[in-house]
Structures are given as C-alpha cells and as structure tokens.
C-alpha cells in the first residue's frame, strides 16, 4: 500500500530531483545519538577522510545533535527515549559541498533564532572568533542541553556566508533551515 | 586516591589519570549525547585530586570533539588554571596531528585565555 499522494511515479521524480541536485547523502527522520554516529561514519566512508570531510563531519554532528535536542517534532525511539526529527542533506557542485539541516522549531523560539543567526552571519571571521571565545566562557543559555555554541561553530566553519530560512510550519511551530558551504579546495 | 581510567568509545575519549605520577591523558574523539554528563566524573576527580596533590601534567590527544565537549574541556582547563594560580606545578600539552591545522588552532585558542604553561605540540 502506498502512502497518499506518493506513488511509483513520484519515486521516479524524486530520484531525478535528488540526482539533479547532486545529493550525496540525505536522511530524514529521528536523529538518535546512535543513528547520527552511524550516519557520520557513513559520510566519512563515502567521502574519504581528509580535512574537508572532517570539517563537514563536524558540521554534520552539530546539526544532527541540534535536531536531536531541539527539534519541535519528536519521536519515541525503540529504546523509549524521545528524540528530535529533522533532515540533513549534503549536496555538491564542482567547487563545494553544501550541508543543510531542516527541522521544526517552537514558534516562540523563531524570532530569537532569526535574530541570532542574522547577527552571527553579519560578523567577520575575527568577530566570530571573539564571540565564540566570549560565549564559551559564559554559562550555557537557559534551555541549552549543550554549550549553546553549535550555531556559532557552524557559521564559523562555513567558507561562504551561511544562509538560513525560517518559515511558518503550523499553528504552534516554525521551520528552520540552515545551509553551510564548505569549499573543496584549500 | 584511585586512578581514573575510562575506556574510549567512538564518541567518548579514553581517560587515563594516574593519581600517583600526576600524568593525566585524554585522547580520542568526543561527541557524546550529553557532554556534561560524561565530563562530570572527570571534573569531580580533578577537584579531589588538587585538594591532595601539588603537581599534574595533562595531555590532550584529540582527533575531534563537538562544541559541548569543547565547553567541558574549557572547564577542565579552568580547574588547572586555578591550581596554577594557587602555586601548584601544572602543565598542559595539546597534541595534534601535523596535518590537522584545525586542531592546532583550537589548542591555540584555548591557550589564549590561560596563563599556565600550555604547549601545542604536533606529531606525525
């Protein structure tokens, strides 16, 4: 039985679309810690292990753990733990890799995340470094399950201006997309 | 005082703290689901250690760590900085693969905030 509005012809379109977009890897679903470790290994296996892939891996882990902890769409795993749902997609072109995360966020957080991302993206590398140093010395922000440094780190690692998009998902949730670019050449 | 020995996994570093010699080493990768939880026993051990001992040499040999682990590493370094300011004989060695510039820079960034002896050392 096929899910509604998605039949065998849609699969053909889907294949064409991800081929044209030069998708190297994508996963949409619940990002448990165990699963993100496996996908991270997969990325290294697929791309080899050089400094660029190491950088991509670092961005992947931050994105995946952000989804795990903060996605506003949750799923209960087989072990009974609640984990966040989202999508990560890695694409390439001749010059670079693009690694993108997409997930639901709470509507009340949208404005704050929007302001924070805009502020970070506007910073020069030197300003980002100083800001990172300052933030690392501070207590983690309220509601943070880590250090509250993931976004800064990802934006610092982007070889071109990082991009983000926040849009309405439903009554109580917004949707957050973050795009990081990593150049293939040194 | 007992030694602290934690076997490494794919997402947590190996920890070898020798209470007798004061040689402490953290090596491997660090990106557990909850870094705070993983590093708490390490913080507890160090706080206890510096109540009893006057010297320590800490070595990091890390290939990768995530941002929440980086916060915990900074907390460890602050324990050492405090011990140093109290006149204890401490040093930190930050080892990185020769080719891993990122890990070198990360070490240097940690060092910027510290006054204790902190060496960034490359290996082949």
């Amino acid at each position: 039985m096929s899910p509604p509005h998605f039949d065998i012809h849609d699969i053909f379109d889907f294949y064409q679309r991800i081929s044209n977009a030069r998708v190297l890897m994508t996963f949409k679903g619940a990002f448990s810690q165990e699963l993100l470790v496996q996908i991270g290994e997969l990325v290294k296996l697929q791309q080899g292990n050089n400094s660029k892939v190491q950088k991509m891996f670092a961005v992947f882990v931050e994105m995946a753990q952000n989804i795990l902890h903060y996605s506003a769409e949750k799923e209960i795993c087989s072990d009974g733990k609640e984990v966040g749902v989202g999508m990560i997609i890695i694409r390439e072109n001749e010059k670079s890799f693009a690694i993108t995360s997409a997930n639901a966020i709470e509507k009340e957080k949208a404005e704050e995340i929007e302001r924070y991302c805009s502020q970070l993206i506007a910073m020069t590398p030197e300003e980002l470094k100083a800001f990172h140093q300052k933030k690392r010395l501070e207590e983690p922000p309220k509601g943070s399950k880590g250090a509250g440094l993931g976004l800064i780190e990802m934006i610092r690692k982007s070889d071109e201006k990082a991009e983000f998009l926040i849009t309405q998902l439903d009554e109580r949730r917004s949707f957050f997309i973050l795009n990081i670019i990593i150049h293939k050449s040194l | 005082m007992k030694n602290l020995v934690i076997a490494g996994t794919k997402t947590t570093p190996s920890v070898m703290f020798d209470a007798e010699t004061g040689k402490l080493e953290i090596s491997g990768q660090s990106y557990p689901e909850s870094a705070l939880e993983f590093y708490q026993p390490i913080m507890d051990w160090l706080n206890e250690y510096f109540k009893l001992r006057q010297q320590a040499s800490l070595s990091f040999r890390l290939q990768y760590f995530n941002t929440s682990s980086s916060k915990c590493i900074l907390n460890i370094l602050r324990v050492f900085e405090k011990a140093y300011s109290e006149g204890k004989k401490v040093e930190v060695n930050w080892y990185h693969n020769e080719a891993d510039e990122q890990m070198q820079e990360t070490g240097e960034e940690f060092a910027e905030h510290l006054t204790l002896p902190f060496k960034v050392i490359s290996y082949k």
Side-chain angles (χ1 to χ4, degrees), chain B residues 51-85:
Chain B
K51 280 186 205 157
L52 305 165
R53 301 281 198 270
Q54 299 302 313
Q55 58 90 27
S57 170
L58 173 63
S59 297
F60 287 100
R61 293 172 194 273
L62 294 164
Q63 282 83 52
Y64 166 69
F65 52 88
N66 66 354
T67 52
S68 46
S69 298
S70 121
K71 176 89 186 174
C72 296
I73 291 167
L74 182 68
N75 289 342
I76 290 173
L77 292 171
R78 289 166 104 180
V79 173
F80 274 73
E81 183 73 8
K82 182 167 169 278
Y84 181 69
S85 72

Side-chain angles (χ1 to χ4, degrees), chain B residues 5-9 12-16 38:
Chain B
V5 178
I6 305 172
T9 70
T12 55
S14 131
V15 178
M16 304 267 273
F38 176 79

Side-chain angles (χ1 to χ4, degrees), chain B:
Chain B
M1 183 173 188
K2 274 193 194 160
N3 296 338
L4 180 67
V5 178
I6 305 172
T9 70
K10 227 176 243 181
T11 60
T12 55
S14 131
V15 178
M16 304 267 273
F17 285 4
D18 189 324
E20 283 312 308
T21 63
K23 279 183 97 75
L24 320 177
E25 184 166 310
I26 299 178
S27 58
Q29 302 207 85
S30 183
Y31 59 113
E33 181 167 355
S34 171
L36 279 174
E37 218 169 89
F38 176 79
Y39 283 93
Q40 193 55 53
I42 298 172
M43 292 297 285
D44 294 343
W45 191 94
L46 287 172
N47 284 320
E48 200 54 40
Y49 178 86
F50 281 119
K51 280 186 205 157
L52 305 165
R53 301 281 198 270
Q54 299 302 313
Q55 58 90 27
S57 170
L58 173 63
S59 297
F60 287 100
R61 293 172 194 273
L62 294 164
Q63 282 83 52
Y64 166 69
F65 52 88
N66 66 354
T67 52
S68 46
S69 298
S70 121
K71 176 89 186 174
C72 296
I73 291 167
L74 182 68
N75 289 342
I76 290 173
L77 292 171
R78 289 166 104 180
V79 173
F80 274 73
E81 183 73 8
K82 182 167 169 278
Y84 181 69
S85 72
E86 289 163 0
K88 294 183 169 141
K89 194 171 173 291
V90 299
E91 59 168 16
V92 175
N93 294 309
W94 184 272
Y95 292 90
H96 67 90
N97 189 302
E98 195 183 44
D100 193 349
E101 281 175 32
Q102 195 73 43
M103 196 51 79
Q104 179 186 348
E105 278 169 32
T106 307
E108 286 161 359
E109 282 181 21
F110 277 121
E112 279 175 29
H113 286 278
L114 304 166
T115 59
L116 59 77
F118 190 114
K119 273 191 232 145
V120 178
I121 304 161
S122 78
Y123 62 84
K124 283 202 179 178

Side-chain angles (χ1 to χ4, degrees), chain A residues 18-171:
Chain A
I18 63 173
S19 300
N20 292 339
R22 296 185 66 177
V23 173
L24 296 173
M25 193 288 298
T26 182
F27 177 84
K28 187 261 164 190
F31 275 90
S32 69
Q33 169 73 11
E34 293 71 23
L35 187 122
L36 73 88
V37 171
Q38 296 293 331
I39 300 177
E41 294 290 320
L42 183 84
V43 170
K44 282 190 195 168
L45 185 71
Q46 186 186 41
Q47 298 302 318
N49 203 353
N50 58 51
S51 67
K52 294 291 156 184
V53 176
Q54 190 63 40
K55 204 168 170 184
M56 189 154 74
F57 175 78
V59 172
F60 171 80
V61 170
E62 295 303 326
M63 284 180 168
Q65 290 186 328
N66 272 353
I67 292 171
L68 160 62
H69 294 303
Y70 309 120
S71 170
E73 185 182 349
K74 303 281 187 197
E75 213 169 85
I76 309 290
C77 278
S78 50
D79 62 0
K81 253 199 252 170
E82 194 186 59
V83 300
V85 173
M87 178 171 81
I88 295 178
I89 175 163
I90 302 175
R91 293 166 293 154
E92 70 167 339
N93 62 30
E94 282 66 33
K95 280 192 255 155
S96 56
F97 297 107
I99 173 163
T100 314
S101 67
N103 60 276
I105 54 171
E106 285 156 37
K107 203 173 162 188
E108 307 81 72
K109 296 269 172 67
E111 211 172 294
E112 185 191 330
I113 294 174
E114 175 136 32
R115 209 176 321 116
Y116 197 45
C117 284
S118 305
Q119 182 196 358
L120 294 174
I121 289 170
M123 287 183 189
T124 64
E126 293 72 29
E127 286 169 338
L128 271 170
K129 181 188 164 184
F131 190 69
H132 177 256
Q133 295 273 52
K134 178 174 158 277
K135 281 286 168 191
R136 192 160 63 180
L137 285 162
E138 287 174 6
E139 287 302 304
K142 216 170 144 243
S144 168
K145 295 191 180 86
L149 300 170
L151 271 177
I152 308 173
E153 181 76 5
M154 287 187 274
I155 289 169
R156 269 189 93 184
K157 281 197 155 53
S158 194
D159 289 323
E160 288 172 26
K161 284 270 177 208
E163 286 181 312
F164 74 100
L165 179 72
I166 294 178
T167 185
Q168 179 100 4
L169 178 63
D170 55 32
E171 288 287 282

